[in-house]
Amino acid sequence: MTQTIKQLEHGESFIERHIGPSAEERQQMLEIVGAKTLNQLTELIVPADIQLPYPPATGDAQTEHQALAELKSIASQNQRYKSYIGMGYNAVLTPPVILRNMLENPGWYTAYTPYQPEVSQGRLEALLNFQQMTQDLTGLDLASASLLDEATAGAEAMAMAKRASKLKQANSFFVADDVHPQTIDVIKTRAETFGFNVIVGKAKQALDNSDLFGILVQLSGTTGELHDYTDLLNQLKSRGVITSVAADIMSLVLLESPAAMGADVVFGSSQRFGVPMGYGGPHAAFFACKDEFKRSMPGRIIGVSKDAAGNTALRMAMQTREQHIRREKANSNICTSQVLLANIAGFYAVYHGPVGLTRIAQRIHRLTDILAAGLQLQGITLRHATWFDTLCVEVADKPAVLTRALSFGVNLRADLDGAVGITLDEATTVDDLNTLFDILLAKETAMDIDALDRQCMAQSHSIPASLLRKSAILTHPVFNSYHSETEMMRYMHRLERKDLALNQAMIPLGSCTMKLNAAAEMIPITWPEFAELHPFCPPEQAAGYQILIAQLSQWLAQITGYDAVCMQPNSGAQGEYAGLLTIRRYHESRGQGDRYICLIPSSAHGTNPASAQMAGMAVVVVACDKQGNIDLTDLREKAQQAGDKLSCIMVTYPSTHGVYEETIREVCTIVHQFGGQVYLDGANMNAQVGITTPGYIGADVSHLNLHKTFSIPHGGGGPGMGPIGVKMHLAPFVPGHSVVQIDGVTNRLGAVSAAPFGSASILPISWMYIHMMGAEGLKMASQVAILNANYIAKRLSPSYPVLYSGHDGLVAHECILDIRPLKEECGITEMDIAKRLIDYGFHAPTMSFPVAGTLMVEPTESESKAELDRFIEAMLAIRNEIRRVQAGEWPLDDNPLVNAPHIQTELVQEWLHPYSRDLAVFPSQAVLNNKYWPTVKRLDDVYGDRNLFCSCVPMASYQ
Ligand SMILES: *Cc1c(COP(=O)(O)O)cnc(C)c1O
């Protein structure tokens, strides 16, 4: 008994749970990379002029249970009213089988975006189900695998209409005035930077305008009225106008598909298919269009292709449309989207099937009919004669009705003139109807619900016959097979097992921090206090969220060295767009609105140029020198040429080449000299936290990827959060919101997301991470991330040259392994190594970014020395295999590398390779102990794009 109580308590520290290598192992590793202490290593690597004199004040580390208890008391300050506000957000009953086996399951939520299809067949199948569901409900040919939210999907629809329309002179986009207000808001913001003219009016007025390239209408208007737009859309189409329809996903179960009405594009939110409102998100938007627009479509699309053995296999199709490759010419800047939420919605449809969904939709509609009939019986006027689930109820004394509603713990929609809005959902019960009657009739009325029900069942005109769905939906076997919980659980598990996520092995990506997503961080997101709030509820009901957001903002401001944080952007790329928009508005406010040039180093992530283009800027590329650093001479020249047209530079730090450029302060100075602003892409903050800050370096604005640096899991390709930090002078210009105004927190400037605080319900994850790590742990995390990267670089560099390093040959938090010399010498490529790593049980590193022919590895601080060693040993063993190819022992077209990955069925076929079965699938002892089996061989990308097929394949082809 030699320890004090303080020391004994320190044993509980979360820091040592989050950080992989133990103190002893860290010492061993430091020795190998050539430093005595973590601090000394940091001092060797990070330029002296940017090292913080003192760490950010984010408080002391808390244990998991302390932090959970504190957050619980914050959460309990949220008040759980029943919200009938609607406006695209509805209460849900998440099927527990999905909640537990998917939303709370690291096998699903820790996976990465499926860039490596061979280790992603499970979530690719789940996304294909989501696409099939979208196609069935919208009636269109082609659907994407999720967008960020309904409002941004509306903005994407507008941008796509402009790209796709043959009316090249037209510059106006018409939006019906009963589209949800937040959708109109985001569309206006986007139009402002694109220079489009947005006209909002009664839908039929669109016919009077000859300048339209596109139109957006909403099938069930924001106040509930159903529209048959067949004539309008067809007249506009005959003029070449691209027609978009926003639709409520649940209503589509009963209503005729918008495609039958003449829609070219249909989008909406899939939230009410099992995803909690979560005070605004994350939720997946669905987006579908006609096949002829496939090349102009935004977002990821999953397609069916073949693997090297000719078996059916899935992959992301037409990636050449995306920002990674097309950069400023991309259709959209979207990178991270909403995969986990799309999968939940898709599984909701799988679980309920067409019969179950129809029952749910009919029940919601019947309850609405009953409410309407009862109110009308009592002499109350409804504004519309048609509805699916939303009534616009005329009231003489609105404040009294709203107050009465609050006294019953109920929120009604409050922003309508002379009326309240009521939207029912799958959680609404007959008891709730009685409460609503009491609220609206201002008395206790014993309504005979059964009589009203019989009346509505016998006769209802609230959905006109012309709008009733005639076509069948969800006829595919996948939506008709898994309706018992046992079958459902096993189907989800079957898909999960096909994939490699962080619960299986390290995911050594570069430029995408795949660190621990601790259970204690994840637990709060499904607490009802966080999950059940409507984003437009009265702000005082969300007091817990306000505290959470204020604290997290304050910590992030400390960590970034900025003065203010805006929580609205719901991905990194959206953060870039929001930051550039802020810069643009700032210049405009000073009468310098014609600053439109954005300098971007050639090494930048593809989202940078794509976002600059969306913000209405022109991209000028700045060269990098041989060491991968920004070429200062070129920068000075380009900045000078831009002169008073210079808007900003976008720079990533440490650079995408994995080094701390020594000249970063000078870069900032040069840009400022010419009146430009500095946008520092914060995706690499995992190498800065506690060591330096963008603000200290001299930048004006950054986005943070909370889903990289601050422990939000990747969800297989989303959700994410990309809040921006800004210096004081930019703070008045960040995105605001048209529906929710909170004094001192939000402004009224145009929004970039549907909800004021983006995907608010995942913010508890980052709050928990920062609080449990404390200032000390956060700094140590960055230092160990750097240590782990240098340990890998040091041990692998004799076999694979490290492309870029700073002085002393040290790297930042990631390293680029150059495969080009090997490729040149013997024909083995970075792709072969990446796929062979799968046989060794690893996800591949990032391939060919930012330099073609390379592999980039970012181990993060969460990986233990044992796991790093396992990875290093795999890479070294692969290097030995390459030697055998080089020596001519194995031919270049038949060796374990080019044939990788190997799958089980190969083993029972005739084996004709010059290497053994054993070597193919059990190349190391570590693999023998814990084998991950990919289910398909290497994907044929060309076949998939040539034979684009983005719907569910028949069941038979899986057998
Ligand atoms: C990940 C990343 C982004 C984009 O973030 P998303 O959330 O995927 O939109 C931008 N820049 C860099 C350097 C990144 O690594």
Side-chain angles (χ1 to χ4, degrees), residues 335-336 511 571-573 576 605 607-608 652 656 681 683 703 705 707-708:
C335 182
T336 292
S511 197
S571 78
E576 293 170 13
H605 195 271
T607 52
N608 288 188
T652 304
T656 44
D681 179 328
H703 77 268
N705 285 64
H707 49 300
K708 291 178 183 170

